[in-house]
């Protein structure tokens, strides 16, 4: 599913006023998401730390844990977990959203579903998986893949820069003994790549030249 040219194309031109305005709006929007996550965590702490996590987190291969595919990105296992995800979410989310609102929303849905269903299928059945880190890795994969499928050095450069900032987190896409869902991180990254391909911005095809067989050739 390619995304045809639209008013978002103007914002895709690096260095233009529309480009910087798009980034500014995206940054404000992503900053507005974070207080919602903090409010949810405050409610969780208020009703009993972890109560919402167990009720709405992903519990692999259990039907009562399947709804966590949708709800788990909004839940966190404590304040430290939320703090750790907030800044990366704002950072990668801003650049992902600046690429267009509609495809950002569709890409987010794909990332959540690929990461969530994947964790539900292959995760540890004795665990409850929550957190937005799968989405964070998904946006990182989205930006990186866009750099190739859309031939955008900007997206590729942003993804590389963010990867360098959080290089110490990248290893979390590999199996580890730490209590983190590396499956969710890896599958989130994969979901971002899939979304970048599915919702890529197609370059307009050049108009076909009109050829008149009766026209007289003229040398300049």
């Amino acid at each position: 599913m390619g995304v045809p040219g639209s008013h978002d194309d103007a914002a895709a031109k690096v260095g233009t006023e529309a480009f910087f305005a798009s980034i500014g709006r995206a940054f404000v929007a992503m900053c507005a998401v974070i207080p919602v996550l903090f409010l949810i965590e405050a409610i969780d702490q208020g009703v009993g730390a972890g109560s919402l996590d167990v009720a709405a987190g992903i519990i692999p291969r259990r039907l009562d844990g399947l709804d966590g595919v949708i709800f788990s990105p909004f839940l966190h296992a404590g304040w430290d977990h939320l703090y750790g995800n907030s800044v990366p979410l704002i950072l990668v989310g801003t650049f992902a959203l600046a690429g267009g609102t509609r495809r950002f929303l569709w890409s987010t849905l794909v990332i959540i579903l690929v990461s969530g269903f994947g964790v539900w299928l292959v995760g540890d059945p004795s665990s409850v998986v929550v957190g937005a880190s799968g989405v964070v890795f998904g946006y990182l994969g989205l930006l990186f893949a866009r750099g190739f499928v859309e031939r955008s050095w900007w997206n590729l450069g942003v993804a590389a820069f963010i990867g360098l900032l959080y290089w110490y987190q990248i290893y979390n896409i590999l199996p580890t003994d730490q209590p983190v869902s590396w499956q969710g991180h890896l599958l989130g990254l994969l979901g971002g790549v899939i979304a970048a391909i599915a919702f890529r911005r197609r370059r307009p095809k050049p108009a076909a030249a009109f050829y008149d067989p009766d026209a007289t050739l003229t040398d300049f």
Side-chain angles (χ1 to χ4, degrees), residues 73-89:
F74 302 96
L75 302 168
H76 289 82
W79 296 112
D80 288 344
H81 188 203
L82 178 53
Y83 289 138
N85 280 338
S86 294
V87 174
L89 183 61

Side-chain angles (χ1 to χ4, degrees), residues 64 74 90 93 110 124 132 135 138 157 166 196:
D64 58 346
F74 302 96
I90 291 174
V110 169
D124 181 358
V135 176
Y166 293 98

Side-chain angles (χ1 to χ4, degrees), residues 30-76:
M30 292 307 302
C31 285
V33 170
I34 302 305
V36 176
L37 299 181
F38 272 84
L39 176 60
I40 293 172
E41 183 60 28
I43 294 173
D44 184 32
Q45 296 291 334
V47 299
S51 297
L52 290 183
D53 298 342
V54 174
I58 300 173
I59 305 176
R61 295 190 291 283
R62 280 179 48 178
L63 289 179
D64 58 346
L66 190 56
D67 57 350
V69 170
I70 299 298
F71 297 120
S72 64
F74 302 96
L75 302 168
H76 289 82

Side-chain angles (χ1 to χ4, degrees), residues 30 34 81-96 132-133 135-137 139-140 143 162 165-166 168-169:
M30 292 307 302
I34 302 305
H81 188 203
L82 178 53
Y83 289 138
N85 280 338
S86 294
V87 174
L89 183 61
I90 291 174
L91 191 58
V92 291
T94 292
F95 291 107
S133 54
V135 176
V136 171
F137 276 88
Y139 289 155
L140 184 61
L143 294 173
I162 295 172
L165 284 179
Y166 293 98
Y168 59 91
Q169 293 285 0

